Amino acid sequence: MAKEEGYRSRAAYKLKQMDERFHFFRGARYVLDIGAAPGGWLQVVSEAVGEDGLVVGVDLRPIEYLELGNVETIVGDILDEEIMDEIRELLPGSVDVVLSDLSPNISGVWDVDQFRQIDLATMALKVSQALLRRDGWFVVKVFMGSEYEAYLKEVKAAYRKVNIVKPMASRKGSAEVYLVARYLRRRRRAR
Ligand SMILES: C[S@@+](CC[C@H](N)C(=O)[O-])C[C@H]1O[C@@H](n2cnc3c(N)ncnc32)[C@H](O)[C@@H]1O
């Protein structure tokens, strides 16, 4: 279905379904998408924010050019401190939505994979706290392993409202959920 409708990933539908429920792109202008390759979410956000908006995608892997005027991409590692400078060069001081669909390269060893994934999600949380406007939205994928509860607690400590979502478009039996968080309690100076 994703290919037929011109989206680069089936993940695009997960984002659309979540937005239909929460409307996090309503009125949004500036969006950061972390772990953005191959670019399905970027396509969805590009449509949602319109010509005056801007979405910046970051990924370790280069994102093939999308031919969309309101999309910029950065090739880089979100775990690398200097990436924040690059992001800040493109986005204003205060961002409306931070998205993270970050997944590590899957090793097949569940414990290893979920630890790595939580590390990535933890970095996404810090980035969101440094960049989001107070009533902005943070949407993050999380693998539901042994570290999940602790991570959920961290997100709840950072945001007043946190929803746990399993999009219909997720593969059946997959151990991933998305947290949709809003109302930052306190902004971080740096991540
Ligand atoms: C599930 S894919 C994202 C799919 C995307 N939302 C879409 O719709 O096309 C997860 C991405 O996270 C990226 N990733 C993993 N570790 C990363 C890191 N440390 N920094 C930046 N990107 C990373 C991977 O390269 C991969 O492209």
Side-chain angles (χ1 to χ4, degrees):
M1 190 158 87
K3 294 266 148 55
E4 270 169 33
E5 294 192 15
Y7 291 118
R8 288 189 178 172
S9 66
R10 60 196 297 285
Y13 292 98
K14 298 192 241 175
L15 185 64
K16 283 187 124 189
Q17 282 173 0
M18 288 191 281
D19 185 47
E20 275 160 22
R21 174 163 164 203
F22 295 100
H23 307 287
F24 33 75
F25 296 130
R26 191 177 279 161
R29 194 157 178 198
Y30 298 111
V31 179
L32 175 67
D33 179 8
I34 318 170
W41 282 22
L42 290 175
Q43 291 172 297
V44 172
V45 182
S46 167
E47 277 168 26
V49 298
E51 278 177 10
D52 296 336
L54 174 67
V55 52
V56 174
V58 180
D59 205 288
L60 288 173
R61 297 189 284 149
I63 297 165
E64 205 182 305
Y65 184 56
L66 275 160
E67 293 184 34
L68 296 168
N70 58 1
V71 177
E72 297 275 356
T73 60
I74 298 171
V75 181
D77 187 340
I78 200 64
L79 302 175
D80 178 354
E81 296 239 335
E82 273 137 42
I83 198 97
M84 284 303 276
D85 298 333
E86 286 189 59
I87 293 171
R88 285 198 167 102
E89 270 174 33
L90 294 173
L91 284 167
S94 171
V95 168
D96 302 300
V97 185
V98 172
L99 305 170
S100 166
D101 199 22
L102 283 163
S103 291
N105 276 333
I106 301 296
S107 72
V109 181
W110 170 243
D111 276 349
V112 173
D113 291 338
Q114 66 99 15
F115 268 112
R116 286 192 185 145
Q117 205 278 332
I118 290 279
D119 265 355
L120 293 170
T122 300
M123 189 52 77
L125 173 62
K126 289 183 185 164
V127 170
S128 76
Q129 288 174 277
L131 293 181
L132 267 185
R133 62 166 218 244
R134 269 286 175 92
D135 60 346
W137 295 84
F138 173 49
V139 180
V140 60
K141 175 163 73 188
V142 199
F143 286 2
M144 296 184 74
S146 55
E147 303 305 300
Y148 167 73
E149 287 297 336
Y151 182 74
L152 177 61
K153 223 169 147 184
E154 267 191 69
V155 176
K156 285 184 171 168
Y159 290 89
R160 286 184 208 287
K161 183 105 187 80
V162 180
N163 285 280
I164 303 162
V165 183
K166 179 126 188 124
M168 298 280 287
S170 281
R171 279 177 214 281
K172 273 210 194 86
S174 85
E176 65 176 34
V177 290
Y178 289 82
L179 304 183
V180 178
R182 199 180 186 194
Y183 303 116
L184 196 56
R185 291 181 196 274
R186 203 165 357 102
R187 226 170 172 217
R188 290 171 79 104
R189 273 166 184 260
R191 63 170 192 184

